Amino acid sequence: MMNLTYDIYMKKLLLLVCICFAVVGCKKKAVVIDPAKPVAELAPESDDHKWYYFTNDNFVQIHLPQVSKLQSLKPWTENLRVSSANADTNGNGFLLVNRLGILIFEGNEEPVLVHDVQLFGSSTAENLVFADNIPYFTLYRSTFFNKAIHESTMSDANRPYLVRVSQKNRMLYPALTYGDMKVDSSAEIVSSIFDGESWLAAIKTTNEERTTFAYKQWKPLLALDAMQPTTKDGKITLGSSTEEKFYAAHAPEQFSLAPQRLKNLLSAIPPAFAFTVSCYTAGGSSPRLYNHGDDGTSANALIADGWICTLFADGTTYFNGALKDRPILANGSNIAFRLPKLPKDYYYTHFCISGDFLVVGWEESSFYKTGRSGILVVDLAKIFYGKQ
């Protein structure tokens, strides 16, 4: 969630923009990118992007986020929102939408929605990661925010925990269950971390007297895409872990330890501007977090073979490299631009790039609650290369 007020955030952003580059006139397109004169803020309504908002069973095009259908503010675990995003090594993009499904972008402007009411209807979907370039995500049910969850649904040993996304079949397949994880009906796996080989899980147990946490580590004994959706011995090795190990894997590191490509991309940001960036790798495991100063704003970064991109909550975006099958931009120099300005208390969140298109989640936010939400699809080829 956002840890700065909107006014403070915008003041810091203005300082960043003023120091990093001179603001130029609002131009919708740029055939040739000059890194000394970066693309300005995109207009809210333009032919280089499209807005969509989420309904209970689909996504619908609109002309501006603030005119989408009203959505009551709910805890972030219970409402529609883009909860995670990444791309595979083949250039396909994936956006996980809580309480709805997963959007798959295959280099085209229009995504494919894989919707599953049974999986998403009463569970919180998070943690989009890749194993062998196949996307997976985790599910849990927040009894803290949703008191209506029936005990009988929590006690089902075959309740899905880890779910595989089949891009080919447009289907979702449970791979691991709460029974496989030896989690009882009073507990929920509230956080998971995958390092590419093994997993760490934080398990919250609540009863009438108190709330406790336990930590487990597990590894698959066979390929995840070969696992059956029912509880069965021999699927994983499961052992205890500690709070120290879990938080060591989850805690932010200093920005000086970030990948060199990320440090190069954000090298123009002044030392006084504080932020925390979640760094994803295309086709990779859980993101690593890096702090640039203290108590800063949030950003997401995605590193692929041919490009790297970082996007801040207000839409300030840094890019280096080339879109798929297109020339490298600005002779390899960094490019900065801003997405359309959102209304007050709206923020950009997770993103992916597939083909010519940048796809970004947006949401209305108030502390731990979210309201309206959707995606913005930007035709980067029009902005970067002047594609007609």
Side-chain angles (χ1 to χ4, degrees), residues 110-246:
E110 282 287 331
V112 174
L113 171 63
V114 181
H115 179 47
D116 191 314
V117 175
Q118 185 174 359
L119 288 175
F120 284 83
S122 61
S123 296
T124 300
E126 294 183 332
N127 305 317
L128 180 67
V129 298
F130 290 80
D132 297 324
N133 210 37
I134 299 173
Y136 296 83
F137 61 90
T138 60
L139 296 173
Y140 75 97
R141 294 172 184 172
S142 175
T143 55
F144 181 82
F145 286 131
N146 190 347
K147 305 300 183 183
I149 294 175
H150 197 276
E151 185 177 346
S152 63
T153 66
M154 298 290 287
S155 61
D156 180 8
N158 290 321
R159 181 159 62 99
Y161 159 56
L162 184 70
V163 179
R164 173 170 60 92
V165 180
S166 174
Q167 181 183 352
K168 179 180 179 181
N169 297 334
R170 305 287 196 259
M171 296 286 287
L172 304 174
Y173 297 99
L176 212 63
T177 69
Y178 272 68
D180 293 323
M181 293 292 293
K182 310 298 183 187
V183 174
D184 62 36
S185 60
S186 62
E188 49 189 298
I189 304 174
V190 294
S191 184
S192 301
I193 301 172
F194 177 50
D195 65 8
E197 294 185 1
S198 63
W199 296 71
L200 287 170
I203 302 166
K204 174 185 172 185
T205 302
T206 305
N207 54 40
E208 294 180 356
E209 298 180 353
R210 61 175 182 166
T211 297
T212 59
F213 287 87
Y215 303 90
K216 294 184 178 182
Q217 181 172 340
W218 65 271
K219 288 185 178 182
L221 289 173
L222 61 156
L224 288 175
D225 61 348
M227 289 187 177
Q228 298 300 309
T230 55
T231 300
K232 185 179 180 180
D233 290 337
K235 294 169 70 174
I236 62 173
T237 59
L238 182 65
S240 297
S241 188
T242 65
E243 179 180 2
E244 290 74 19
K245 288 182 179 179
F246 184 85

Side-chain angles (χ1 to χ4, degrees), residues 76-373:
W76 59 272
T77 60
E78 310 305 306
N79 220 351
L80 294 157
R81 59 186 293 269
V82 175
S83 60
S84 192
N86 203 335
D88 64 19
T89 59
N90 299 321
N92 302 300
F94 301 83
L95 276 78
L96 184 64
V97 185
N98 189 47
R99 300 300 173 133
L100 180 61
I102 190 161
L103 295 170
I104 303 175
F105 286 81
E106 298 172 318
N108 302 314
E109 187 173 23
E110 282 287 331
V112 174
L113 171 63
V114 181
H115 179 47
D116 191 314
V117 175
Q118 185 174 359
L119 288 175
F120 284 83
S122 61
S123 296
T124 300
E126 294 183 332
N127 305 317
L128 180 67
V129 298
F130 290 80
D132 297 324
N133 210 37
I134 299 173
Y136 296 83
F137 61 90
T138 60
L139 296 173
Y140 75 97
R141 294 172 184 172
S142 175
T143 55
F144 181 82
F145 286 131
N146 190 347
K147 305 300 183 183
I149 294 175
H150 197 276
E151 185 177 346
S152 63
T153 66
M154 298 290 287
S155 61
D156 180 8
N158 290 321
R159 181 159 62 99
Y161 159 56
L162 184 70
V163 179
R164 173 170 60 92
V165 180
S166 174
Q167 181 183 352
K168 179 180 179 181
N169 297 334
R170 305 287 196 259
M171 296 286 287
L172 304 174
Y173 297 99
L176 212 63
T177 69
Y178 272 68
D180 293 323
M181 293 292 293
K182 310 298 183 187
V183 174
D184 62 36
S185 60
S186 62
E188 49 189 298
I189 304 174
V190 294
S191 184
S192 301
I193 301 172
F194 177 50
D195 65 8
E197 294 185 1
S198 63
W199 296 71
L200 287 170
I203 302 166
K204 174 185 172 185
T205 302
T206 305
N207 54 40
E208 294 180 356
E209 298 180 353
R210 61 175 182 166
T211 297
T212 59
F213 287 87
Y215 303 90
K216 294 184 178 182
Q217 181 172 340
W218 65 271
K219 288 185 178 182
L221 289 173
L222 61 156
L224 288 175
D225 61 348
M227 289 187 177
Q228 298 300 309
T230 55
T231 300
K232 185 179 180 180
D233 290 337
K235 294 169 70 174
I236 62 173
T237 59
L238 182 65
S240 297
S241 188
T242 65
E243 179 180 2
E244 290 74 19
K245 288 182 179 179
F246 184 85
Y247 283 99
H250 191 71
E253 299 180 87
Q254 292 300 311
F255 189 71
S256 60
L257 301 176
Q260 190 61 49
R261 288 176 67 188
L262 180 59
K263 290 191 290 185
N264 291 344
L265 179 69
L266 304 182
S267 59
I269 294 181
F273 185 81
F275 61 86
T276 297
V277 57
S278 297
C279 184
Y280 296 79
T281 300
S285 51
S286 297
R288 293 298 304 172
L289 275 65
Y290 299 98
N291 275 344
H292 185 274
D294 297 322
D295 299 323
T297 190
S298 300
N300 287 300
L302 179 52
I303 301 176
D305 285 344
W307 51 264
I308 178 173
C309 184
T310 298
L311 194 148
F312 287 82
D314 77 301
T316 300
T317 306
Y318 294 86
F319 182 92
N320 184 283
L323 301 179
K324 187 175 181 180
D325 300 325
R326 293 189 178 276
I328 193 167
L329 290 160
N331 295 318
S333 297
N334 298 331
I335 295 168
F337 65 99
R338 289 182 61 185
L339 300 179
K341 184 178 180 180
L342 290 169
K344 184 179 180 181
D345 297 326
Y346 285 65
Y347 303 92
Y348 291 108
T349 59
H350 302 277
F351 75 92
C352 68
I353 294 177
S354 181
D356 289 342
F357 301 97
L358 166 69
V359 189
V360 190
W362 60 265
E363 63 185 52
E364 179 186 14
S365 180
S366 177
F367 190 33
Y368 67 93
K369 294 184 177 182
T370 61
R372 296 165 168 170
S373 63

